[in-house]
Amino acid sequence: MIKKRTPFYPYQPFLLRILHGLTGLCLIAAILTAYWTYDTYDGRWGRIPLPSYPDIEGIHGTFGLWTLLIFPAFVIYAFQRGQRRLVQSDTLSQLTSVGKPIWWYSLNRITNTLALLGLTFALFSGKMMGET
Ligand code: HEM
């Protein structure tokens, strides 16, 4: 039997990969520095032994702002070429096919959509934070 070669399609188109990667990197930096800001200035739910570093708030603001600047481009791209990876009109009904491939796709679509929504709230509430 002759095995048919399948053509290679990259998992993500190049621009999406770049925007996805940059958003992810800036966001991870924002989350880590956000925790350090909390640890330095607040700590009401407990602390881990990080050095107290007052400048961390400004560093967090910088990473937060970078994320905010890249995010709109990523969102436009996600809503256009990445549309199939977001929630579809039949996604909820497909959640009944537990364990089948479409179930995993649906979970992935819901996760992607919630991540975009969550980050939108985090960025806009962050933008409203005052230094003081
Ligand atoms: C996913 C998590 C977070 C994201 C994406 C995020 C994003 C942002 C953004 C976009 C800004 C505005 C930066 C600017 O306009 O210059 C900001 C500022 C700020 N954020 Fe966050 N933030 C997050 C979590 C947190 C947490 C958990 C804290 C709690 C300590 C926090 C504390 C602050 C403070 C105090 C500022 C004001 C910084 C300044 O103006 O110097 N953030 N954040």
Side-chain angles (χ1 to χ4, degrees):
M1 193 176 120
I2 301 167
K3 216 175 165 197
K4 229 175 147 189
R5 288 187 119 211
T6 43
F8 172 73
Y9 293 111
Y11 177 67
Q12 290 178 344
F14 182 68
L15 187 57
L16 180 63
R17 182 170 292 208
I18 295 289
L19 292 172
H20 197 211
L22 284 178
T23 308
L25 284 178
C26 292
L27 180 59
I28 289 168
I31 290 173
L32 294 176
T33 51
Y35 181 78
W36 201 345
T37 304
Y38 157 80
D39 209 79
T40 297
Y41 285 97
D42 190 322
R44 72 185 75 179
W45 293 299
R47 289 192 158 100
I48 56 170
L50 283 175
S52 173
Y53 181 39
D55 287 347
I56 198 67
E57 185 192 347
I59 297 174
H60 165 68
T62 306
F63 283 122
L65 191 62
W66 285 359
T67 316
L68 181 65
L69 294 177
I70 302 165
F71 189 57
F74 178 49
V75 167
I76 292 171
Y77 207 84
F79 282 171
Q80 293 188 350
R81 293 214 38 202
Q83 171 64 41
R84 280 177 308 118
R85 291 172 202 260
L86 298 175
V87 164
Q88 314 288 309
S89 55
D90 51 0
T91 297
L92 281 184
S93 61
Q94 285 165 342
L95 277 182
T96 50
S97 313
V98 179
K100 297 203 178 125
I102 191 62
W103 185 71
W104 290 105
Y105 279 120
S106 300
L107 285 186
N108 182 239
R109 285 171 172 157
I110 292 170
T111 313
N112 286 344
T113 309
L114 288 181
L116 290 183
L117 205 67
L119 185 51
T120 306
F121 279 106
L123 289 172
F124 281 97
S125 60
K127 197 68 197 122
M128 288 191 281
M129 286 285 249
E131 195 176 339
T132 48

